[in-house]
């Protein structure tokens, strides 16, 4: 009996110890799990804190960026307004010149590149002084000058007339063009209409732009421009069209338009040049000009015409007869269609003596 009881106690003790061991193992597992959970919790809390800090920093950065963006938008709006005001105040003044008729002063041409720079400065200053003299207060005037010419033809005339050399003219153009970013010589064809058409088209485009204050044209010598100028006056652009004068005698049809006009002293030659050494350097006016009445033609004959004489032919001039016959056309224009330049030049000397 006792042995049975002892055996039962031993079995119970073993079962209890096994249960205790299981409990202890379960407790250790729970403790380990709890420890891991606590460690993970601490780690997550740390990450949450870091994320909160990052979020706070991000929100501060976003707020700062929003403020900077708003400031930038205001600055852009301000710049747009200033640019609009600048665009309205930055008025353009195109200057369109017929370079075949408007020949720069001999002294300027003979200086080459230096003369070109001086000419550009004189033109720029002269236009600004004219604008100021009219009472206009332009904060940002921009002068845009284009001189249209038949370069080779004009170059030959300048060289033959001893106005300047070929190199001096080349360097003059370079100096003029480099003196101002918007000043330039534009070479066109040898045809007379080449420069005319260029100026007419540029005038037609420029004068209609709101940004253009006035268009200045250098064409006082050529009646061929009168139709284009008259059309712009008819279109209501009289206040925007100004004539830059260069010659003492203005072509009649140009003068009759009554354009506002001004001079720039010492910039252009006031009379035509001649490449013929025997022809007088004088300009024969086309017709009377109201801007500047022409001077009387030089008196060619000392003996006044009689009542029976014709105004075209003097019967008694006391001039020696020449063979071949003298050429009146050469005397008046410097050119002879008969090929008698020698005889005609003697006739000219006979009249001048």
């Amino acid at each position: 009996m006792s042995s049975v009881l002892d055996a039962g106690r031993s079995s119970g003790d073993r079962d209890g110890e096994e249960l205790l061991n299981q409990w202890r193992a379960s407790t250790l597992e729970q403790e380990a799990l709890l420890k891991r959970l606590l460690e993970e919790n601490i780690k997550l809390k740390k990450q949450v804190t870091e994320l909160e800090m990052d979020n706070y920093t991000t929100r501060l950065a976003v707020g700062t960026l929003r403020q900077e963006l708003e400031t930038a938008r205001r600055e852009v709006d301000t710049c747009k307004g200033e640019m609009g005001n600048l665009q309205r105040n930055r008025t353009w003044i195109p200057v369109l010149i017929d370079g075949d008729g408007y020949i720069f002063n001999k002294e300027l041409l003979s200086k080459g590149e230096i003369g070109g720079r001086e000419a550009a400065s004189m033109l720029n200053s002269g236009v600004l002084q004219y604008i100021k003299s009219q009472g206009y207060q332009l904060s940002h005037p921009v002068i845009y000058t284009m001189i249209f010419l038949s370069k080779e033809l004009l170059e030959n005339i300048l060289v033959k007339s001893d106005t300047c050399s070929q190199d001096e003219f080349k360097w003059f153009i370079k100096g003029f063009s480099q003196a101002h970013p918007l000043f330039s010589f534009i070479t066109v064809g040898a045809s007379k209409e080449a420069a005319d058409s260029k100026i007419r088209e540029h005038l037609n485009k420029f004068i209609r732009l709101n940004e253009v204050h006035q268009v200045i044209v250098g064409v006082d010598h050529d009646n061929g421009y009168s139709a284009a100028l008259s059309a712009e006056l008819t279109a209501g652009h009289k206040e925007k069209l100004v004539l830059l004068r260069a010659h003492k005698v203005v072509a009649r049809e140009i003068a009759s338009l009554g354009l506002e006009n001004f001079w720039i002293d010492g910039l252009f030659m006031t009379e035509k040049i001649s490449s013929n050494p025997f022809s007088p350097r004088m300009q024969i006016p086309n017709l009377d000009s109201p801007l500047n009445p022409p001077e009387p033609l030089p008196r060619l004959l000392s003996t006044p015409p009689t009542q029976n004489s014709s105004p075209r032919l003097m019967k008694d001039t006391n001039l020696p007869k020449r063979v071949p016959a003298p050429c009146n056309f050469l005397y008046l224009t410097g050119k002879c269609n008969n090929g008698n330049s020698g005889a005609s030049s003697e006739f000219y000397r006979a009249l001048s003596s």
Side-chain angles (χ1 to χ4, degrees):
M1 185 73 177
S2 60
S3 60
V4 173
L5 291 174
D6 291 339
R9 290 194 193 98
S10 297
S11 176
D13 292 339
R14 285 194 301 270
D15 291 340
E17 185 176 356
E18 184 176 352
L19 291 173
L20 179 62
N21 291 333
Q22 291 177 356
W23 177 81
R24 286 176 178 173
S26 176
T27 301
L28 290 175
E29 290 179 358
Q30 291 177 0
E31 289 179 353
L33 177 61
L34 181 60
K35 184 178 180 180
R36 287 197 303 270
L37 291 175
L38 289 174
E39 290 176 352
E40 290 293 333
N41 186 40
I42 293 172
K43 186 184 294 185
L44 291 174
K45 283 185 178 180
K46 184 178 180 180
Q47 291 178 354
V48 168
T49 302
E50 291 176 353
L51 289 174
E52 287 178 348
M53 291 296 296
D54 291 342
N55 184 39
Y56 176 74
T57 304
T58 302
R59 283 184 295 173
L60 286 178
V62 170
T64 303
L65 290 175
R66 285 177 177 173
Q67 292 178 356
E68 292 177 353
L69 179 60
E70 187 63 27
T71 302
R73 286 175 177 172
R74 288 195 299 267
E75 290 178 353
V76 168
D77 292 338
T78 302
C79 289
K80 286 182 178 179
E82 291 179 352
M83 288 178 65
N85 294 332
L86 183 62
Q87 186 66 24
R88 286 189 292 270
N89 294 330
R90 194 178 180 83
T91 48
W92 290 78
I93 307 173
V95 181
L96 309 175
I97 297 177
D98 185 336
D100 293 332
Y102 277 51
I103 300 177
F104 286 93
N105 191 296
K106 181 177 180 180
E107 294 182 2
L108 295 173
L109 289 171
S110 61
K111 290 181 180 179
E113 185 174 356
I114 295 176
R117 294 182 179 277
E118 291 180 2
S121 177
M122 291 173 64
L123 179 58
N124 188 75
S125 300
V127 171
L128 291 177
Q129 289 176 4
Y130 165 74
I131 295 297
K132 185 177 180 181
S133 70
Q134 299 303 301
Y136 296 111
Q137 300 296 328
L138 306 180
S139 57
H140 298 86
V142 179
I143 301 176
Y144 181 33
T145 299
M146 291 181 288
I147 302 178
F148 301 93
L149 77 163
S150 302
K151 181 176 178 295
E152 293 183 359
L153 180 61
L154 180 59
E155 188 177 84
N156 290 334
I157 293 176
L158 294 176
V159 172
K160 289 181 180 180
S161 63
D162 199 28
T163 302
C164 68
S165 67
Q166 184 177 1
D167 286 341
E168 288 172 341
F169 185 53
K170 179 184 71 174
W171 286 103
F172 176 89
I173 292 177
K174 179 181 178 182
F176 183 90
S177 302
Q178 291 184 345
H180 193 289
L182 297 177
F183 281 25
S184 59
F185 279 85
I186 300 176
T187 301
V188 297
S191 169
K192 176 186 179 298
E193 291 298 322
D196 295 14
S197 61
K198 292 286 187 181
I199 291 179
R200 285 196 296 265
E201 288 300 318
H202 280 79
L203 171 62
N204 182 265
K205 297 298 186 294
F206 279 129
I207 206 166
R208 285 163 174 75
L209 297 178
N210 294 329
E211 296 82 4
V212 171
H213 173 67
Q214 286 179 319
V215 180
I216 299 175
V217 292
V219 296
D220 70 0
H221 63 293
D222 192 345
N223 284 321
Y225 292 102
S226 62
L229 299 178
S230 179
E232 301 304 339
L233 295 180
T234 303
H237 301 305
K238 182 177 178 61
E239 299 299 324
K240 297 182 71 173
L241 191 55
V242 179
L243 178 66
L244 171 60
R245 291 191 57 187
H247 301 94
K248 293 180 179 180
V249 178
V250 178
R252 179 183 178 182
E253 294 181 20
I254 299 297
S256 66
L257 297 175
L259 297 174
E260 184 71 28
N261 64 90
F262 70 103
W263 290 83
I264 300 179
D265 293 336
L267 184 59
F268 299 107
M269 293 186 182
T270 59
E271 297 182 357
K272 293 181 180 179
I273 61 175
S274 172
S275 61
N276 191 312
F278 298 114
S279 63
R281 287 193 177 184
M282 68 177 183
Q283 178 173 316
I284 302 176
N286 296 327
L287 291 170
D288 295 347
S289 167
L291 289 181
N292 195 353
E295 298 177 359
L297 292 176
R299 190 174 179 183
L300 303 182
L301 299 175
S302 58
T303 305
T306 62
Q307 293 181 352
N308 297 326
S309 64
S310 168
R312 295 181 178 272
L313 178 63
M314 298 298 294
K315 293 182 179 180
D316 185 12
T317 59
N318 295 324
L319 290 174
K321 293 183 179 182
R322 303 288 178 177
V323 178
C327 178
N328 293 334
F329 190 78
L330 174 69
Y331 176 75
L332 293 175
T333 66
K335 298 178 181 179
C336 178
N337 292 338
N338 300 322
N340 299 327
S341 59
S344 298
S345 62
E346 290 206 15
F347 173 61
Y348 170 69
R349 285 197 292 271
L351 289 177
S352 301
S353 59

